Amino acid sequence: MSLSDRLNEDMKQAMKSQDKFRLSVIRMIRSAIKNIEIDQRRSLDDNEVLDIISREIKQRKDSLQEFEKAGREDLAQSAKAEIAVIAEYLPQQLTEEEVKVLVQQTIQETGASSKADMGKVMAALMPKVKGRTDGKLVNQLVQQLLT
């Protein structure tokens, strides 16, 4: 079952169970997907849908940080709940140790030896971890291991 089909089925289930919060989050994701499909005049594949879902989570995490800085606990709780619902559609997330191992392997594969080679490492590494970890974490680990 594709991610789009899964979102549709989960939306129907949320309607049946009258889970208004979950329904609104799923509709928001579907809306973002639909907008891009309309812009590109074609259906999106699972990788593209995964990119959109990852972007939606990143936006929520950024908002969450701002809400916490501003002391808006009510909005922070709402953002956390949205993140939890959206995260169900991402693949199993990698632990920091697993990411570190992948970074080390990629550094060896690319023959990188300094920070000047960071772009080469990131280009080879990001497809391996797509949707399974945060890009900031990958960036930090690459910088640590290249120094």
Side-chain angles (χ1 to χ4, degrees), residues 1 19 33 42 45 49-50 87 89:
M1 175 183 290
D19 186 347
I33 293 168
R42 65 179 178 84
D45 64 19
V49 171
L50 187 61
Y89 299 99

Side-chain angles (χ1 to χ4, degrees), residues 119-140:
K120 187 170 36 170
V121 173
M122 291 297 287
L125 184 61
M126 288 311 287
K128 295 178 185 178
V129 298
K130 183 177 185 176
R132 300 185 326 168
T133 192
D134 184 30
K136 286 181 183 177
L137 173 65
V138 175
N139 192 320
Q140 289 171 349

Side-chain angles (χ1 to χ4, degrees), residues 7 15-16 34 43 47 62 69 85 94 98 105-106 111 117 121 132 138:
L7 282 164
M15 283 181 194
K16 288 178 185 175
K34 197 69 169 164
S43 295
N47 281 334
D62 292 345
K69 280 183 193 174
V85 171
L94 297 171
E98 292 170 326
Q105 288 174 350
T106 306
D117 299 325
V121 173
R132 300 185 326 168
V138 175

Side-chain angles (χ1 to χ4, degrees), residues 31-107:
S31 173
I33 293 168
K34 197 69 169 164
N35 286 338
I36 292 177
E37 285 179 339
I38 290 169
D39 288 345
Q40 296 184 358
R41 295 189 172 114
R42 65 179 178 84
S43 295
L44 301 178
D45 64 19
D46 273 357
N47 281 334
E48 294 166 318
V49 171
L50 187 61
D51 287 341
I52 294 168
I53 291 172
S54 297
R55 188 173 349 135
E56 292 292 320
I57 278 209
K58 185 176 182 325
Q59 288 174 353
R60 299 303 174 296
K61 286 181 178 178
D62 292 345
S63 296
L64 177 61
Q65 286 178 343
E66 294 302 316
F67 294 150
E68 288 174 343
K69 280 183 193 174
R72 294 294 308 265
E73 203 51 43
D74 55 331
L75 296 174
Q77 291 301 322
S78 176
K80 285 178 187 175
E82 287 180 9
I83 290 169
V85 171
I86 298 170
E88 294 174 19
Y89 299 99
L90 290 176
Q92 180 68 35
Q93 298 296 294
L94 297 171
T95 64
E96 189 171 338
E97 280 303 311
E98 292 170 326
V99 175
K100 201 171 203 171
V101 168
L102 283 171
V103 169
Q104 289 169 337
Q105 288 174 350
T106 306
I107 288 172

